Amino acid sequence: MAPGQDTMLRSAEMSMVQLYISNEIGREVATSLGELGLVAFRDLNSELSAFQRTFTQEIRRLDNVERQLRYFYTQIQKNDIPLRKFDVDNERLANPSTSEIDELAERCQTLEQRIFQLNDSYETLKKREVDLTEWRWVLREAGGFFDRAYDSVVEDIRTSTDNDDAPLLQDVEQHHTAADVERSFSGVNIGFVAGVIDRSRMAVFERSMWRSLRGNLFMNSSEIPEPLIDPATNDKVHKSVFVIFAHGREILAKIRKIAEALGANLYSVDENSDLRRDQVHEVNARLNDVQSVLRNTEQTLHAELAQISQALSAWMVLITKEKAVYDTLNNFSYDHSRRTLIAEGWAPTNDVNRIRATLQEVTNNAGLSVPSIINEIKTNKTPPTYIKTNKFTEAFQTIVNAYGTPTYSEFNPGIPTIVFFPFLFATMFGDIGHAIIMGLAALAMIYWEKPLKKVTFELFAMLYYGRYIALLMAVFSMFTGLMYNDIFSQSLTLWNSAWHWKVPDDYKEGQPLVAELNDSGYRYPFGLDWIWHGTENDLLFTNSYKMKLSIIFAYFHMTYSLILSYINARHFKKPIDIWGNFVPGMIFFQAIFGYLVGCIFYKWSVNWNDPTNPRQPPGLLNMLIFMFLQPGTLDIQFYPGQAGVQVFLLLLAVVQVPVLLFLKPFYLRWEHNKARAKGYRAIGERSRVSALDGDDEDGNGHAVGGRHSTESDGEGVAMLTQDLHGEEEHEEFEFSEHLIEQIIHTIEFCLNCVSHTASYLRLWALSLAHQQLSVVLWSMTLGPALGNTGVAGVIMLVFSFYLWFVLTIAILVLMEGTSAMLHSLRLSWVESFSKFAQFGGWPFTPFSFAATLEESEELKEFLC
Amino acid sequence: MAQGYSIFIGLLVIVVLSVAAWFLAPKSENQIIWRSSLILAFSCCYLMWAITFLAQLHPLIEPRRSDLRKEYLHS
């Protein structure tokens, strides 16, 4: 029998499939299965380390290519060349053959060498260029200093001629030439060192010079106005030129040593100005040469990289896919003697035929006479959970998956989440205005779905992912906003009020007024009567209303969830879960909270102010407390026979506790003993490949694995390769364990009935907070501004409107929305899911290129 | 309009809508989602409306305020 259609109701039916593939087409098969993305392969070589596997060589080679591609990428980035990104959604790459991959690897090899060489020579040239530039600066700056020094020396000598104490020898020569002055430096044996140093090190340099030479030097420095480029890091560095004069050869050597230790570059400068001029010319000429060669090299490098940047992303994708293929092939078992690859994995039963067709196609294309075989095999392993989603349900399912993976074939908690999650959110976010803003944002994201998909900004991506959730939240919030009659904290007057003000004839403004109901029985038809808006006691009324609303929704939401546990028990064919868990639990819950909710509705339906029969309304909370503390006595009579009903309900609830506690463990023991008596062994002892049909009904220890019994379809019983039984262990039946488990479950259930119901009061608390916050915001900004007139009034109105609008979006929509969403999330996860879902499954992660490319962190920069 | 019995009219409307949703849900693998979501949504909205309506059916307190202007009251 063909299995039914896979829906979101449960996990798709999964089969363990076994593939026999000829060794020659292993790679092609894995590639096309990767495109298909429907099989999750098991690791059949788990005892082998990564290095012992069959295709380690290939992977290592691909790793090398990947490293080369990364090298290109860093070079491209370093040179600011735009990278052409790969569009996974719209561009398809033909599956490459092995020789094409080889070609690519070779090409990468040569390209790497070429780029490396170009880079190398570029860097050498660059270094030379920087050196020459520095030298030029030194020549210019130091030369300038020498010229200044020359002027002052001449001056000095001129003044000295007037001095009687001046040496006679110099006195003789009245006319000095420049050459004489220059000679005067060498004459007194003063040497100098010139160079360039990092500006930030200048102070340190100066100080250490001063200290080590004990002030016995003359230092001059000047800053180079334009930043120089450090060839090693490509950063801009500010440097200074320095010239140090000192006396004595040793001292000069010392200066050189210190300067070099501090990272300064020293350059030779000639004292003689003519020679210096020649030096400058020479440096300039060499600089020009170097620069032109440099430009050529750079251009070649750029051209080369620009060419690579066109194809780099595609290459990267190819290599990543290829690596994924070999990684998968490494999970296959390789039969050396028969030269076949044997693969095992999980696949959706409904898609086995598609996989078969793909295999057939690949085999035919390869022209192989050996057919590839695909077998479905029966196993007692728990299949992975695979819930098919579409773009609408995907985000809702993510809410569930964030909590846990549903057990295989149990009721998918994602289905009720689609409505309950946004609706519970809406009860906390009830405001038409805020809902409209949210809805417009969601609609915009849905309308511009395709272009917005590319946005990588993380917060927005999250919002975008949940756009359909946001849409539903907004729609429901509009409805609850109508119910609460709140639009930006104001009210809508859609219908006539059921109330009218009782105005005395001598009414003075400021006098308290009380409204009166009409006599015709007319009530405000849709939502909260607008007359409550702005009254002194409206909080009193809405609090009572919203609290009761929370309790009633708690009751319905949890009853619904409890019923789902019945559906699960029936699906897994475990009647004991119905009679031992669901029925007593349900009675317990209904006897207490069902009764409370019934009383709430009854209290609403009674006219307590009926003039013919005026009665005092009872407080429901007190009633419930008295029901437990003093069963049989009443605070205020609510309805006739109330005491008896309450005692009965209380007894009914109390009786359920021992039923919950003992029925299931004792039943399991009885069943186990009966099976033993008939000669059956425990499940683990009779574990056989195809003998598992109908083990669902055992209700034995490994209840989680209960499977929908699959019909045998002929080829089902197949040989197994390896450790199919190895991982799953079956426990012996242990009565005490079951008993303890059930005791814990009972205590938890009974306490949770109370605490979870109370937990729903957050619906009231958050909606109250939201409404009050928007009232405060209105009265602080826009509200008072509306009362002003004139030019100042207009300015104030515009200003306060913007303030109000921005704060509304930031605080009331975004912040409050997030908080309401988190609370709603909790209500789904804890209060609802804990009632029925087991979350004992493991996710189905098929081998799929699409998923590989999407999840890969390394590929992020190459994809768009 | 909008008397106490409206609560049953509302219920009837919701039941009709739910039955319609059950039968009109497009036949595909998403049928179950259409059915479950629409019926749940209708029920939730009805419940909310019913609670709001019932809470105002026999109110125990009256609106009270003292900041009303004369012009408003006599208009």
Side-chain angles (χ1 to χ4, degrees):
Chain A
M1 190 189 82
Q5 203 175 27
D6 293 331
T7 63
M8 212 190 144
L9 180 64
R10 298 173 196 288
S11 164
E13 208 173 301
M14 305 300 277
S15 301
M16 173 79 93
V17 291
Q18 205 170 31
L19 282 77
Y20 293 82
I21 313 154
S22 168
N23 186 31
E24 288 92 44
I25 57 165
R27 184 183 156 278
E28 282 72 22
V29 167
T31 310
S32 49
L33 288 181
E35 295 288 349
L36 203 60
L38 284 171
V39 195
F41 291 104
R42 295 179 63 232
D43 188 358
L44 298 179
N45 304 315
S46 45
E47 75 281 2
L48 294 180
S49 75
F51 301 106
Q52 292 168 313
R53 300 193 176 208
T54 326
F55 298 98
T56 315
Q57 282 297 325
E58 280 82 351
I59 290 179
R60 209 171 285 168
R61 204 177 61 132
L62 291 169
D63 274 337
N64 188 39
V65 178
E66 200 185 329
R67 183 193 57 73
Q68 285 163 345
L69 293 178
R70 294 218 152 265
Y71 173 70
F72 299 153
Y73 179 62
T74 49
Q75 289 305 320
I76 284 170
Q77 280 212 314
K78 203 173 159 191
N79 287 291
D80 288 329
I81 295 169
L83 180 73
R84 189 175 159 275
K85 295 199 170 189
F86 186 75
D87 188 352
V88 196
D89 298 329
N90 299 322
E91 284 179 81
R92 314 266 331 139
L93 286 171
N95 287 331
S97 63
T98 336
S99 59
E100 276 167 330
I101 293 287
D102 288 344
E103 231 167 73
L104 178 61
E106 261 168 50
R107 200 163 155 205
C108 284
Q109 188 69 37
T110 45
L111 274 175
E112 190 199 18
Q113 276 169 7
R114 179 147 172 69
I115 301 272
F116 194 77
Q117 274 170 4
L118 278 172
N119 246 326
D120 212 33
S121 54
Y122 179 80
E123 258 158 41
T124 324
L125 286 168
K126 193 81 194 166
K127 173 104 184 56
R128 200 173 297 159
E129 190 207 357
V130 172
D131 280 352
L132 286 171
T133 322
E134 281 182 3
W135 194 4
R136 200 175 61 181
W137 277 109
V138 171
L139 284 172
R140 190 180 296 173
E141 296 295 328
F145 171 74
F146 277 119
D147 292 342
R148 278 198 301 283
Y150 161 73
D151 288 344
S152 66
V153 166
V154 170
E155 196 65 25
D156 211 28
I157 289 168
R158 272 193 195 127
T159 50
S160 68
T161 48
D162 305 332
N163 198 333
D164 291 341
D165 300 334
L168 285 168
L169 240 173
Q170 286 187 2
D171 208 24
V172 177
E173 290 180 281
Q174 291 291 323
H175 303 286
H176 296 278
T177 58
D180 293 331
V181 178
E182 269 160 20
R183 218 180 303 126
S184 71
F185 275 129
S186 45
V188 287
N189 197 16
I190 286 182
F192 64 93
V193 177
V196 169
I197 195 168
D198 208 324
R199 200 173 293 172
S200 56
R201 294 216 186 120
M202 196 65 204
V204 183
F205 180 58
E206 220 163 327
R207 207 176 314 131
S208 50
M209 278 297 168
W210 204 255
R211 276 188 196 152
S212 54
L213 303 181
R214 299 197 181 78
N216 212 350
L217 80 162
F218 178 72
M219 185 161 177
N220 200 321
S221 69
S222 68
E223 292 176 354
I224 300 177
E226 63 187 36
L228 298 168
I229 286 168
D230 185 356
T233 55
N234 242 351
D235 289 333
K236 285 181 177 171
V237 195
H238 287 274
K239 290 193 168 183
S240 296
V241 174
F242 63 89
V243 188
I244 301 171
F245 295 88
H247 185 76
R249 191 162 296 174
E250 284 82 26
I251 289 181
L252 284 175
K254 203 171 179 183
I255 291 172
R256 280 209 179 84
K257 224 175 257 172
I258 293 173
E260 267 157 13
L262 279 166
N265 300 324
L266 302 180
Y267 297 96
S268 74
V269 179
D270 213 287
E271 266 182 55
N272 188 302
S273 62
D274 290 331
L275 284 177
R276 211 165 55 229
R277 205 165 301 124
D278 290 347
Q279 239 176 349
V280 170
H281 283 308
E282 191 199 326
V283 167
N284 276 339
R286 271 165 66 186
L287 199 57
N288 275 338
D289 288 350
V290 167
Q291 269 166 349
S292 74
V293 177
L294 198 62
R295 219 171 297 125
N296 277 338
T297 319
E298 197 175 2
Q299 267 168 8
T300 327
L301 184 66
H302 267 256
E304 202 78 52
L305 286 176
Q307 210 182 354
I308 293 175
S309 78
Q310 288 299 308
L312 185 64
S313 298
W315 290 349
M316 204 70 192
V317 169
L318 275 186
I319 294 297
T320 311
K321 277 184 174 181
E322 197 68 9
K323 250 176 79 179
V325 164
Y326 282 113
D327 273 332
T328 308
L329 284 176
N330 265 344
N331 288 340
F332 293 5
S333 156
Y334 180 50
D335 190 336
H336 285 278
S337 55
R338 281 183 285 176
R339 300 193 45 76
T340 39
L341 286 165
I342 302 166
E344 262 179 33
W346 291 103
T349 312
N350 280 339
D351 289 320
V352 170
N353 280 333
R354 273 176 72 194
I355 298 167
R356 187 171 288 141
T358 311
L359 270 185
Q360 198 71 46
E361 200 188 305
V362 175
T363 318
N364 289 345
N365 283 351
L368 233 61
S369 56
V370 197
S372 304
I373 300 165
I374 178 168
N375 266 342
E376 275 180 67
I377 48 180
K378 298 271 156 110
T379 167
N380 56 350
K381 285 183 160 311
T382 317
T385 306
Y386 171 48
I387 291 165
K388 279 190 175 174
T389 53
N390 52 33
K391 68 178 177 182
F392 174 73
T393 51
E394 187 190 12
F396 291 99
Q397 194 61 44
T398 310
I399 294 179
V400 177
N401 291 344
Y403 187 68
T405 309
T407 304
Y408 178 73
S409 101
E410 84 173 339
F411 185 91
N412 175 15
I415 290 205
T417 307
I418 295 176
V419 172
F420 279 130
F421 176 75
F423 196 86
L424 290 176
F425 167 87
T427 53
M428 295 180 265
F429 195 74
D431 189 301
I432 308 171
H434 303 155
I436 286 175
I437 294 177
M438 195 170 176
L440 288 179
L443 279 178
M445 280 190 285
I446 291 167
Y447 186 79
W448 286 290
E449 204 159 53
K450 284 232 170 79
L452 286 178
K453 199 180 171 193
K454 306 288 177 204
V455 179
T456 47
F457 178 58
E458 204 175 347
L459 268 178
F460 180 81
M462 249 165 71
L463 207 63
Y464 171 81
Y465 189 76
R467 61 198 180 280
Y468 288 102
I469 300 183
L471 181 71
L472 280 201
M473 293 199 298
V475 169
F476 284 131
S477 296
M478 277 181 230
F479 179 79
T480 53
L482 272 174
M483 287 294 119
Y484 295 154
N485 210 341
D486 272 331
I487 173 161
F488 294 123
S489 82
Q490 303 304 300
S491 63
L492 288 174
T493 48
L494 296 174
W495 286 274
N496 288 329
S497 174
W499 303 82
H500 56 90
W501 295 105
K502 243 189 320 192
V503 190
D505 293 334
D506 54 344
Y507 175 72
K508 280 196 286 294
E509 269 174 42
Q511 193 181 339
L513 280 180
V514 178
E516 193 175 38
L517 262 183
N518 61 347
D519 299 327
S520 59
Y522 165 81
R523 292 293 178 271
Y524 198 71
F526 202 74
L528 214 60
D529 202 327
W530 47 264
I531 200 157
W532 286 105
H533 184 85
T535 54
E536 283 154 16
N537 51 358
D538 87 307
L539 273 188
L540 211 62
F541 181 77
T542 48
N543 279 351
S544 146
Y545 153 66
K546 284 179 181 174
M547 259 192 265
K548 283 171 181 160
L549 180 125
S550 309
I551 296 297
I552 292 170
F553 266 102
Y555 166 75
F556 279 105
H557 194 203
M558 288 197 282
T559 304
Y560 183 88
S561 306
L562 269 175
I563 289 173
L564 292 181
S565 81
Y566 165 75
I567 291 177
N568 268 340
R570 260 193 56 174
H571 177 75
F572 289 127
K573 299 206 178 67
K574 284 188 286 192
I576 187 56
D577 271 352
I578 299 178
W579 298 110
N581 270 336
F582 167 70
V583 171
M586 193 62 148
I587 293 175
F588 182 87
F589 185 67
Q590 297 300 329
I592 298 170
F593 293 100
Y595 176 64
L596 175 66
V597 168
C599 285
I600 291 176
F601 278 114
Y602 177 66
K603 189 180 166 188
W604 274 337
S605 65
V606 173
N607 186 3
W608 300 97
N609 296 326
D610 190 0
T612 56
N613 179 21
R615 283 183 293 165
Q616 212 199 340
L620 291 178
L621 200 60
N622 278 342
M623 185 201 80
L624 196 71
I625 292 169
F626 270 95
M627 178 172 159
F628 285 104
L629 293 185
Q630 297 160 308
T633 57
L634 294 174
D635 194 13
I636 303 167
Q637 168 97 10
F638 192 14
Y639 56 90
Q642 189 193 2
V645 171
Q646 288 188 357
V647 170
F648 170 73
L649 285 176
L650 193 62
L651 278 177
L652 194 64
V654 169
V655 166
Q656 300 314 313
V657 177
V659 178
L660 261 176
L661 271 179
F662 300 118
L663 185 58
K664 189 178 171 188
F666 277 97
Y667 172 81
L668 288 180
R669 190 174 71 163
W670 171 78
E671 194 188 49
H672 174 75
N673 289 344
K674 195 176 75 173
R676 281 258 152 179
K678 280 186 183 168
Y680 286 111
R681 302 286 106 193
I683 260 186
E685 290 161 291
R686 56 164 183 138
S687 169
R688 196 74 16 104
V689 187
S690 58
L692 265 296
D693 268 2
D695 76 313
D696 306 339
E697 271 150 308
D698 285 48
N700 210 335
H702 83 309
V704 182
R707 279 190 67 186
H708 198 56
S709 60
T710 35
E711 262 70 25
S712 159
D713 56 349
E715 56 185 339
V717 189
M719 61 160 276
L720 285 175
T721 47
Q722 279 117 14
D723 59 329
L724 209 59
H725 318 284
E727 295 155 27
E728 202 158 318
E729 287 186 11
H730 298 278
E731 307 142 26
E732 284 289 297
F733 181 79
E734 194 83 53
F735 176 67
S736 57
E737 255 176 46
H738 285 276
L739 191 63
I740 290 171
E741 207 175 274
Q742 191 63 21
I743 289 174
I744 293 172
H745 172 79
T746 308
I747 296 174
E748 213 177 47
F749 180 82
C750 295
L751 290 182
N752 279 354
C753 276
V754 181
S755 68
H756 285 179
T757 309
S759 173
Y760 279 84
L761 285 174
R762 72 185 70 231
L763 297 179
W764 157 60
L766 265 100
S767 86
L768 173 72
H770 185 84
Q771 193 243 341
Q772 287 300 303
L773 209 61
S774 56
V775 168
V776 167
L777 184 65
W778 178 273
S779 62
M780 302 274 275
T781 54
L782 198 52
L786 284 173
N788 294 317
T789 49
V791 179
V794 169
I795 294 169
M796 202 173 145
L797 186 64
V798 169
F799 176 73
S800 60
F801 172 79
Y802 281 112
L803 190 66
W804 170 82
F805 189 71
V806 168
L807 286 180
T808 293
I809 290 193
I811 298 179
L812 293 172
V813 178
L814 288 177
M815 232 176 70
E816 278 281 296
T818 315
S819 121
M821 200 191 74
L822 291 178
H823 281 281
S824 176
L825 209 56
R826 186 222 139 96
L827 287 180
S828 294
W829 281 348
V830 181
E831 273 73 24
S832 168
F833 293 174
S834 71
K835 299 276 183 302
F836 66 97
Q838 288 167 331
F839 285 111
W842 55 289
F844 174 62
T845 45
F847 166 57
S848 143
F849 288 145
T852 313
L853 295 181
E854 199 175 310
E855 280 157 22
S856 168
E857 283 291 323
E858 293 158 4
L859 273 177
K860 281 239 160 70
E861 24 325 316
F862 299 100
L863 303 177
C864 65
Chain B
M1 183 204 169
Q3 306 278 336
Y5 54 79
S6 307
I7 212 82
F8 300 105
I9 299 175
L11 184 63
L12 194 71
V13 170
I14 289 305
V15 169
V16 168
L17 278 178
S18 298
V19 170
W22 181 271
F23 287 106
L24 296 181
K27 279 197 176 40
S28 71
E29 60 175 20
N30 294 323
Q31 191 183 33
I32 183 149
I33 293 169
W34 279 108
R35 286 179 174 173
S36 126
S37 303
L38 284 176
I39 293 175
L40 266 183
F42 291 149
S43 321
C44 281
C45 290
Y46 169 71
L47 196 61
M48 180 113 186
W49 171 78
I51 292 169
T52 316
F53 188 82
L54 283 173
Q56 298 179 86
L57 188 60
H58 298 298
L60 295 174
I61 57 170
E62 302 92 16
R64 201 175 319 144
R65 69 191 297 175
S66 48
D67 54 352
L68 289 173
R69 273 176 286 144
K70 250 182 181 161
E71 297 84 357
Y72 169 76
L73 287 170
H74 294 298
S75 61

